[in-house]
Amino acid sequence: MRYFLLTPIAILLVFSCSQNEEQSSQEQTNYRIVFEDTVRIDSKGELLFVNNALSTSDYLPSTDKLYNFNLKNYGIEVLDIENEEFVAKYPFENDGPNAVGRFITGFQMLSEEEIYIFDINFFGKYNLNGELINKIEMDEFLSYAGDSIRVNERVMPNGGFQNQQFITTFSVDNLYKGILFLDFENQKVKKELTPEFDKASELSFSIMLQGSKLPVRAGFQVSVVNKKAILNCNAYNEIVVFDLETGERNHKVFNSSLFPNQKEPKHTSDVMEGDPRELIQLLGDQITFGQFYFDDVNKLFYRISHMSNGLEGDQKKRRSFLSIFDQDLNHLQDIGDLPDDFPMEFLFIRNGKMYSFLNENDEIALNVISVVTE
């Protein structure tokens, strides 16, 4: 077990005083994070899939289990968090009538009978036995009622579910354009354009790689939680929030004194040539804002952001920051720097604590972190 405190920095309390600016004179509350423990999962001799830092995993509160989709052998590994052990493995097919597809881009558990696995060509709904319940080809969205989806528009599987409605983003000619509300059951679609993020196109460029163009873009994510759909771009310290009960839409812009509030264009032409790894880092080394997680016990939202420390070689490390928001998504505080190894790739909330993935010699471990007030 490890237990230590990170001393918080001075806080900045802000709330939305307009659609574009957030400042406040609220009474200040100091937060700090406590690293309580490291949970080490007993693999029972099973070689668990850790290659993608659990990015194709999902925690299901109703069962208190973590479901890890193995992209190597196409199966779901079930981890019991309470008892800290691997408990089961369910095989899936990568060929045949129940196939999950070869280019998996997303994985979400609604229940053990409702598992969504997203391929670049279709959305598949499965149960835990690997049986295909429903398959929706991407082309089928073109015939949905409501706001029509055109041939040059692409549905991006980077969202979440609310009452059987999938809320995600879409692009037009490979550039982000807005948010989609997809009703699979009634085959309807509703579009919401988000011009607040049209500026992200300024960051876009392509890398010439073996005669083809590799696009480099800012990333988008929709977090569906606490009856809200929160759209964030990883390049800007701002969000667009859709209240799923009232239909209200709100653009919130935050400000931090700890880190830059946006990425800046670093490319010198629309098509760049050179080492792809170095060119990708023109955006990757800059501040990158993560998705939002809701702590239902403490009624707080959390977001992890990171950026390079600006050094090169063995001295190059990632600096990470934790941002805290109240349940109305008013910005409360930024905490940094977190430890260099603080992960951003996978995080879930359980019983008022954050659990983050840690690879320990190819075994699954989870840091247990609390946010407390002083």
Side-chain angles (χ1 to χ4, degrees):
M1 175 180 290
R2 61 176 182 167
Y3 183 95
F4 60 91
L5 301 181
L6 287 184
T7 303
I9 62 163
I11 68 171
L12 177 63
L13 289 173
V14 290
F15 74 96
S16 179
C17 61
S18 68
Q19 190 177 19
N20 296 314
E21 195 75 20
E22 294 209 345
Q23 294 179 337
S24 171
S25 58
Q26 298 177 19
E27 182 180 352
Q28 292 187 345
T29 300
N30 284 331
Y31 292 91
R32 70 176 187 273
I33 60 174
V34 179
F35 285 74
E36 295 189 354
D37 198 0
T38 298
V39 172
R40 293 174 173 84
I41 301 298
D42 183 356
S43 65
K44 304 291 184 67
E46 186 77 20
L47 187 61
L48 301 177
F49 185 70
V50 297
N51 296 34
N52 284 25
L54 301 192
S55 61
T56 49
S57 298
D58 204 4
Y59 171 70
L60 198 58
S62 61
T63 64
D64 195 25
K65 291 182 174 60
L66 183 66
Y67 300 82
N68 183 32
F69 193 87
N70 190 318
L71 291 174
K72 268 190 175 180
N73 59 23
Y74 293 89
I76 291 180
E77 302 159 348
V78 184
L79 312 179
D80 187 323
I81 304 302
E82 178 66 27
N83 296 309
E84 304 178 10
E85 62 181 2
F86 163 80
V87 293
K89 185 174 183 178
Y90 295 88
F92 278 62
E93 300 175 7
N94 67 340
D95 205 357
N98 293 309
V100 296
R102 298 182 181 275
F103 304 100
I104 294 174
T105 59
F107 172 79
Q108 289 192 24
M109 299 279 304
L110 299 191
S111 71
E112 291 191 339
E113 296 302 316
E114 286 186 287
I115 304 169
Y116 280 89
I117 300 176
F118 307 124
D119 181 81
I120 61 172
N121 297 310
F122 67 89
F123 287 15
K125 180 181 177 181
Y126 303 81
N127 60 28
L128 198 53
N129 293 319
E131 298 168 334
L132 179 62
I133 301 171
N134 189 25
K135 182 178 181 179
I136 306 171
E137 301 282 353
M138 289 293 187
D139 289 346
E140 292 183 44
F141 294 130
L142 298 175
S143 61
Y144 269 30
D147 298 331
S148 61
I149 295 179
R150 299 178 176 85
V151 175
N152 65 333
E153 297 176 344
R154 182 167 183 81
V155 179
M156 310 300 290
N158 53 5
F161 286 89
Q162 173 80 12
N163 298 331
Q164 299 303 314
Q165 181 178 233
F166 187 63
I167 306 169
T168 188
T169 65
F170 73 100
S171 62
V172 178
D173 296 328
N174 294 319
L175 288 177
Y176 166 83
K177 203 64 180 176
I179 192 169
L180 288 178
F181 297 83
L182 292 169
D183 184 340
F184 293 154
E185 183 176 349
N186 297 305
Q187 296 189 345
K188 293 182 178 180
V189 61
K190 177 185 176 184
K191 286 181 184 176
E192 286 277 358
L193 298 179
T194 52
E196 297 91 340
F197 288 124
D198 283 352
K199 58 190 175 184
S201 62
E202 301 172 358
L203 302 170
S204 302
F205 64 96
S206 296
I207 299 172
M208 186 60 68
L209 183 64
Q210 297 178 347
S212 299
K213 294 180 180 179
L214 173 68
V216 179
R217 307 282 188 263
F220 289 85
Q221 175 76 36
V222 178
S223 304
V224 182
V225 64
N226 197 32
K227 301 177 182 178
K228 296 179 177 64
I230 307 166
L231 171 67
N232 74 284
C233 174
N234 67 4
Y236 300 99
N237 194 13
E238 57 191 85
I239 56 177
V240 177
V241 184
F242 297 84
D243 189 307
L244 300 179
E245 288 190 319
T246 67
E248 182 184 356
R249 168 178 171 159
N250 193 7
H251 180 210
K252 289 175 170 282
V253 179
F254 309 116
N255 183 62
S256 176
S257 60
L258 283 185
F259 46 76
N261 289 291
Q262 67 179 62
K263 294 180 184 288
E264 299 291 346
K266 299 290 185 180
H267 57 284
T268 55
S269 65
D270 290 339
V271 180
M272 302 282 287
E273 296 187 8
D275 187 335
R277 292 169 298 182
E278 293 182 2
L279 293 174
I280 289 173
Q281 292 311 312
L282 292 176
L283 285 183
D285 278 351
Q286 297 187 61
I287 187 68
T288 298
F289 300 100
Q291 70 184 87
F292 283 71
Y293 299 88
F294 185 62
D295 178 354
D296 190 51
V297 173
N298 297 301
K299 307 302 180 186
L300 294 172
F301 280 97
Y302 307 127
R303 182 192 66 189
I304 303 294
S305 306
H306 68 78
M307 62 185 295
S308 168
N309 62 1
L311 301 178
E312 299 296 334
D314 294 339
Q315 299 299 313
K316 185 175 182 178
K317 294 183 179 180
R318 185 176 65 182
R319 300 172 60 199
S320 298
F321 309 89
L322 173 68
S323 297
I324 303 172
F325 307 80
D326 69 16
Q327 61 183 337
D328 295 318
L329 288 161
N330 298 313
H331 183 209
L332 299 178
Q333 183 177 346
D334 296 318
I335 298 177
D337 292 325
L338 303 183
D340 293 334
D341 62 351
F342 192 90
M344 182 180 171
E345 291 81 2
F346 183 73
L347 184 73
F348 64 94
I349 310 296
R350 175 179 180 264
N351 299 332
K353 303 179 189 299
M354 290 185 285
Y355 284 68
S356 64
F357 169 70
L358 180 66
N359 186 337
E360 287 194 342
N361 300 317
D362 291 333
E363 295 285 344
I364 294 177
L366 299 165
N367 287 326
V368 184
I369 305 151
S370 292
V371 174
V372 299
T373 58
E374 293 187 321

